[in-house]
Amino acid sequence: MRQPTLFLTVGLPCTGKTTAAHRIEIEQEALRLTKDEWVKALFGPENPPSAGDVIEGRLIDIGLRALELGNNVVIDFGLWSRDERSALRQAAADRDATVEMRYFELPPAEQRRRRDQRQAQAPHTTWLMSDEELAEWAARIEIPTPGELDGSEPIGDPPAGFATWDQWRGYRWPPSVS
C-alpha cells in the first residue's frame, strides 16, 4: 500500500484554492473535501458559522479515515490558523501520511475581481462578501511559514489547556451544532 498524502489548501476566499483542489483531486487521485459545497447543499443561501465548523470537522474525520485506508485526500477550506494546520499535520503523521501544504495569495484587487466574477457567473457556488469582510479576513489569516509549507518545521505542542492535537481538533471542530 502506498503512503497517502494529505493536501491542505490554505488561503483566503477567491485565491484559487478550490480550482487547485479540483486539479489535485484528478492528478493525485485524491478524495476532495470542499466545505463550501456541503454548506451550500445543506443550507443554501445561509452560511451559519457554527454549522460550518461542524461540517469541517465531519469532513476532516472522513479525510482522516480515507488516509488510514491508503487514499490521498485534499482538504479544501482556508485553514487560516497555524493551530488548524498543525492539528491536521499531526493527524496525518499519526496515520503515517505525508502532508503537502499549498498556500494561495493574491493582491486584494485581484481577489475582489475574482469575487465579483464568481458572483456574476456562478452565484450558486458562493456567498456575498464585502470589501470590508475581505480586509478583515486578510488581517486575521496566519500566513504559513516557509517551514510549514515545506514540512521542515516541527509541529510543536498544542495550545495551552490541551494535552494533544487530537483533543484540540475535537474542540476546534465540534461534533455537533450546539
Side-chain angles (χ1 to χ4, degrees), residues 4 10 20 32 40 45 57-58 73 75 78 80 99 124 127-128 131 150 168-169 171:
V10 179
R32 180 180 52 84
K40 277 291 189 182
R58 302 309 309 160
V73 174
I75 300 287
W80 295 354
V99 173
H124 62 283
W127 293 271
L128 294 175
D131 290 349
D150 69 16
W168 184 88
R169 190 168 38 89
Y171 168 80

Side-chain angles (χ1 to χ4, degrees), residues 51-64 77 169 172-175:
D53 291 345
V54 172
I55 290 169
E56 285 182 10
R58 302 309 309 160
L59 292 176
I60 288 167
D61 287 347
I62 291 166
L64 295 178
F77 37 89
R169 190 168 38 89
R172 166 60 185 92
W173 291 291

Side-chain angles (χ1 to χ4, degrees), residues 17-27 32 34 37 74 76:
K17 295 181 310 296
T18 299
T19 299
H22 280 284
R23 191 169 40 255
I24 293 166
E25 174 185 31
I26 293 165
E27 293 172 359
R32 180 180 52 84
T34 300
E37 292 175 357
V74 57
D76 175 27

